């Protein structure tokens, strides 16, 4: 039987597919419903899904952001403690996210090598000399073993180190190990510093993930081609309608796809409004969770009188040397060679609509730009994890574990509530929990609702397995839960378990509601969905304040790492 509730929180189920459909319906109305303003050409039909995905994701991010800030303000719940914000970039956080070392000034000597070593988590440095592959520091560092192997014109550096961080309570001991290699030219490393990425061995075994970086940053030839910046504009459409604002709308629209020839980055660009001057462009930065701290940015200006387009773009290259990544800016201007047709608007014959495309064989326009500023960034920063400003799932679960509960209710004696880990949760909403089978002694198995967290790399922020118990007299909800955090290493997540008891400090009101029973059987061919007739009246109880949320500390927490479920 399907559980019936008097209401469903549809506002918590944002769907990109639904949003895309709504958006496309809106665009179709704007394009085709006003006196036949624009007819999308056949050459764009294959790109329809691609365009809808771009638009959907952009609006989805904007909508979710708005809902998130409104929801957070209404709940009045702090998502991270002051300690978590202060310590988010401290030794402990860096040890979990970037257990790694910089090897600087690596030089091969007769029978050995020398270099400087920097632990990026602790900022501890040491000077090393090596003979026969074994290395020793001028000032010996406890629990640090480094070695160098020279083979022809290539050096391989291995590091294994144990250290402790005391910026959090309790103090945590870490062990990490890693190996990296680098070409040698005249006995010196081609890249300095050399990044040795480490894998944690304790307190848990995992290999923190790094970002992919912005599109094309490591594409061979990125830097060389950027010295003479150029773009290609394709699928160019310009439409200008002089409506009377009664039976037709005065509107201008420019759309095209912009491709950077240095890195292959594509952005979809579009405008809409009475006057199309500022053009909005977006690419993979609205689709990927793994771009990192640097995102390609594009600004486009358009002059409707001259059809002149000015492109200003900033991108990144480190194909020449990841230790010296570059931020590159360039600008280019050209008049679009448009071919246009003009005809009266059917609903307003005294007003005209103009439709223009590029008449070239491949419907593209080449744009040559002028190189602007070139900025050298921090070594390896393009793919480095973004520095944290708040604790993520793993650190919150270890150092300040709390569940945030909301939307508590009972329906015909069956309990439901929503839950999410109190952490830096981004745009994710709590997940509903329903009462399942009895686990004995007043405990009930959790039956989890929709699992929206599975759609993002960080994974769900609620239990994958739990039991709960409700003490109606004390208004206490107890929870025994198991959950996992995937944001550091999705293949080897950190797995947690713990117990929590929290009081619902809100008035609980009850009312009688009609009860309907639904089945989970699929509809047959030609069968229509119908609402069943009421079969009785039951009690429905809920917190008087619908936005009420409360927090429960998680006790007796245990944690380990393993393969993802």
């Amino acid at each position: 039987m399907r559980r019936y509730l008097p209401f469903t929180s549809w506002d918590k189920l944002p769907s990109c597919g639904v949003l895309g459909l709504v958006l496309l319906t809106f665009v179709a109305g704007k394009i085709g419903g006003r006196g036949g303003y624009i007819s999308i050409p056949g050459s764009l039909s294959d790109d329809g899904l691609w365009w809808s995905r771009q638009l959907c994701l952009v609006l989805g991010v904007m909508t979710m952001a708005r809902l998130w800030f409104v929801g957070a303000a209404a709940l009045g719940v702090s998502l991270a403690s002051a300690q978590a914000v202060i310590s988010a970039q401290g030794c402990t956080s860096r040890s979990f996210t970037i257990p790694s070392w910089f090897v600087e000034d690596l030089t091969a000597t007769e029978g050995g090598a020398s270099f400087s070593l920097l632990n990026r988590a602790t900022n501890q440095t040491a000077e090393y000399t090596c003979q026969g592959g074994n290395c020793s520091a001028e000032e010996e560092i406890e629990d640090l073993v480094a070695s160098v192997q020279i083979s022809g014109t290539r050096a391989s550096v291995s590091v294994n180190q144990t250290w402790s961080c005391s910026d959090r309570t309790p103090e945590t001991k870490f062990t990490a190990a890693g190996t990296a290699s680098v070409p040698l030219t005249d006995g010196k490393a081609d890249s300095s510093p050399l990044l040795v990425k480490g894998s944690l061995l304790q307190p848990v075994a995992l290999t923190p993930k790094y970002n992919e970086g912005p599109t094309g940053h490591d594409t061979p030839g990125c830097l060389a081609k950027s010295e003479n910046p150029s773009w290609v504009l394709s699928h160019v459409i310009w439409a200008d309608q002089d409506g009377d604002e009664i039976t037709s709308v005065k509107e201008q629209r420019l759309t095209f796809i912009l491709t950077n020839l240095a890195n292959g980055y594509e952005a979809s660009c579009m405008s809409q409004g009475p006057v199309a001057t500022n053009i909005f462009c977006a690419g993979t930065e609205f689709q990927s969770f793994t771009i990192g701290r640097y995102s390609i940015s594009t600004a486009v200006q358009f002059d409707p009188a001259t059809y002149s387009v000015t492109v200003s773009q900033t991108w990144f290259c480190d194909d020449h040397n990841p230790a010296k990544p570059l931020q590159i800016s360039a600008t280019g201007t050209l008049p679009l060679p448009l071919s246009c047709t003009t005809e009266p608007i059917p609903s307003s014959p005294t007003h005209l609509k103009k439709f223009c495309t590029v008449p070239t064989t491949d419907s593209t326009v080449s744009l040559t730009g002028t190189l602007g500023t070139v900025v050298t960034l921090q070594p390896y920063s393009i793919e480095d994890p973004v520095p944290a400003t708040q604790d993520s799932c793993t650190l919150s679960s270890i150092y300040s574990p709390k569940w945030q509960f909301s939307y508590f209710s009972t329906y015909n004696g069956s309990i439901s509530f929503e839950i999410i880990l109190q952490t830096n949760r981004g745009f994710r909403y709590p997940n509903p929990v329903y009462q399942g089978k009895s686990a004995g002694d007043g405990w009930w198995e959790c039956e989890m609702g929709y699992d929206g967290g599975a759609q993002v790399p960080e994974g769900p922020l609620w239990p994958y397995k739990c039991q709960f118990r409700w003490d109606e007299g004390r208004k206490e909800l107890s929870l025994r839960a198991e959950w996992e955090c995937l944001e550091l290493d999705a293949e080897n997540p950190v797995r947690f378990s713990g117990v929590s008891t929290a009081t619902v400090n809100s008035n609980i009101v009850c009312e009688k509601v009609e009860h309907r029973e639904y089945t989970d059987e699929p509809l047959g061919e030609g069968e229509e969905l119908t609402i069943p007739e009421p079969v009785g009246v039951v009690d429905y109880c809920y917190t008087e304040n619908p936005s009420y949320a409360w927090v429960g500390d998680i006790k007796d927490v245990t944690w380990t790492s393993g393969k993802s479920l």
Side-chain angles (χ1 to χ4, degrees):
M1 303 299 292
R2 183 176 300 161
R3 178 178 295 97
Y4 167 76
L5 293 176
F7 63 91
T8 303
S9 300
W10 291 105
D11 59 303
K12 294 187 176 184
L13 295 169
S15 166
C16 187
V18 174
L19 182 61
L21 179 61
V22 173
L23 176 64
L24 288 178
T25 302
F26 170 76
V27 172
K30 298 282 280 186
I31 292 177
R34 293 176 177 170
Y37 171 45
I38 294 178
S39 173
I40 298 179
S43 61
L44 286 183
S45 61
D46 294 337
D47 298 317
L49 180 60
W50 186 87
W51 276 94
S52 67
R53 185 166 60 247
Q54 309 301 312
L55 294 168
C56 169
L57 286 165
V58 171
L59 287 191
V61 168
M62 294 168 63
T63 302
M64 289 290 284
R66 180 179 179 272
L67 289 173
W68 162 239
F69 287 117
V70 170
L75 289 175
V77 176
S78 172
L79 300 183
S81 65
Q83 178 191 11
V85 175
I86 294 172
S87 305
Q89 298 184 40
C91 175
T92 300
S93 178
R94 293 198 304 269
S95 296
F96 274 108
T97 56
I98 52 168
S100 54
W101 302 266
F102 277 159
V103 177
E104 299 187 78
D105 302 323
L106 174 61
T107 303
T109 60
E110 187 174 347
S114 63
F115 59 90
S116 298
L117 187 68
L118 168 67
N119 183 316
R120 295 213 293 162
T122 64
N123 287 324
Q124 186 180 38
T125 61
E127 302 293 328
Y128 275 85
T129 57
C130 311
Q131 288 294 326
N134 297 318
C135 305
S136 59
E138 294 180 0
E139 295 183 7
E140 200 64 33
I141 298 178
E142 186 178 1
D143 297 327
L144 193 160
V145 177
S147 63
V148 175
Q149 298 294 328
I150 306 294
S151 178
T153 59
R154 197 166 192 86
S156 177
V157 181
S158 297
V159 183
N160 185 304
Q161 185 178 6
T162 297
W163 67 92
S164 295
C165 293
S166 57
D167 60 321
R168 299 289 185 97
T169 301
E171 179 177 303
T172 307
K173 179 177 285 188
F174 297 88
T175 298
T179 300
S181 62
V182 62
L184 300 174
T185 301
D186 298 329
K188 294 184 179 295
D190 286 359
S191 294
S192 184
L194 169 67
L195 173 61
V196 181
K197 296 179 180 179
S199 294
L200 279 178
L201 306 178
Q202 71 161 334
V204 291
L206 57 83
T207 301
K209 66 179 179 182
Y210 284 69
N211 290 304
E212 296 176 359
T215 300
H217 69 93
D218 55 355
T219 299
C222 178
L223 177 60
K225 294 179 182 178
S226 297
E227 294 179 0
N228 297 290
S230 58
W231 299 269
V232 168
L233 283 70
S234 58
H235 301 304
V236 180
I237 297 176
W238 165 244
D240 186 1
Q241 177 169 289
D242 181 25
D244 59 8
E245 297 294 353
I246 299 175
T247 60
S248 58
V249 175
K250 179 179 178 62
E251 192 171 24
Q252 295 180 338
R253 184 190 301 273
L254 176 67
T255 62
F256 59 88
I257 296 175
L258 179 71
T259 303
N260 186 315
L261 297 183
N263 55 17
Y265 171 81
E266 286 189 352
S268 56
C269 301
M270 63 200 75
S271 70
Q272 182 179 341
V275 180
T277 54
N278 295 314
I279 313 301
F280 174 77
C281 297
T284 54
E285 63 271 16
F286 284 101
Q287 302 181 49
S288 175
F289 292 94
T290 59
I291 287 180
R293 73 180 77 179
Y294 297 113
S295 178
I296 296 174
S297 61
T298 307
V300 177
Q301 298 291 318
F302 178 65
D303 184 350
T306 62
Y307 300 155
S308 178
V309 171
T310 298
V311 174
S312 299
Q313 193 172 70
T314 297
W315 65 96
F316 306 87
C317 295
D318 65 352
D319 58 307
H320 59 296
N321 187 350
K324 294 181 173 62
L326 298 176
Q327 173 181 293
I328 301 168
S329 297
T331 301
T333 300
L334 91 161
L336 293 175
L338 297 177
S339 175
C340 303
T341 59
T342 301
E343 60 184 45
I345 300 173
S347 61
S348 180
T350 59
H351 295 82
L352 302 177
K353 60 179 180 179
K354 180 186 294 184
F355 183 81
C356 308
T357 59
V358 173
T360 59
T361 303
D362 56 358
S363 299
T364 63
V365 181
S366 297
L367 169 60
T368 300
T370 302
L371 187 64
T373 59
V374 178
V375 179
T376 301
L377 306 175
Q378 292 295 316
Y380 303 95
S381 58
I382 282 184
E383 294 186 359
D384 260 354
V386 178
T389 57
Q390 294 179 345
D391 280 348
S392 60
C393 180
T394 300
L395 270 70
S396 294
S397 299
I398 294 174
Y399 298 102
S400 183
K402 302 176 187 293
W403 291 118
Q404 177 186 307
F405 301 93
S406 56
Y407 288 94
F408 177 85
S409 67
T410 64
Y411 179 79
N412 197 22
S414 182
I415 296 167
S416 67
F417 56 91
E418 295 193 355
I419 188 173
I420 192 168
L421 188 71
Q422 183 162 311
T423 184
N424 180 18
R425 73 192 206 189
F427 299 132
R428 280 165 290 175
Y429 289 94
N431 201 57
V433 177
Y434 303 109
Q435 182 174 312
K437 297 179 180 179
S438 173
D441 196 24
W443 289 87
W444 299 91
E445 297 289 346
C446 295
E447 185 179 308
M448 305 304 294
Y450 62 87
D451 191 2
Q455 301 173 8
V456 296
E458 290 79 4
L461 294 177
W462 37 81
Y464 61 81
K465 180 180 179 181
C466 67
Q467 298 175 346
F468 69 85
R469 181 171 62 187
W470 169 243
D471 187 328
E472 186 173 2
R474 296 185 177 185
K475 297 173 64 176
E476 285 184 348
L477 183 67
S478 299
L479 185 74
R480 301 189 295 218
E482 299 177 26
W483 70 101
E484 63 179 6
C485 297
L486 290 78
E487 83 279 8
L488 296 179
D489 184 350
E491 295 184 0
N492 297 283
V494 186
R495 199 158 291 139
F496 298 88
S497 66
V499 297
S500 177
T501 298
T503 302
V504 182
N505 289 318
S506 173
N507 290 331
I508 296 178
V509 296
C510 298
E511 60 181 277
K512 299 290 186 179
V513 297
E514 293 180 333
H515 176 66
R516 292 177 170 86
E517 293 185 350
Y518 295 80
T519 67
D520 291 321
E521 297 179 1
L523 295 175
E525 184 176 354
E527 186 179 1
E528 295 183 358
L529 179 65
T530 59
I531 300 177
E533 293 296 324
V535 296
V537 176
V538 299
D539 289 323
Y540 171 55
C541 303
Y542 50 91
T543 53
E544 187 175 23
N545 179 0
S547 64
Y548 171 71
W550 71 100
V551 173
D553 292 335
I554 308 174
K555 306 292 186 181
D556 302 328
V557 176
T558 63
W559 44 295
T560 184
S561 58
K563 293 296 182 181
S564 179
L565 296 176

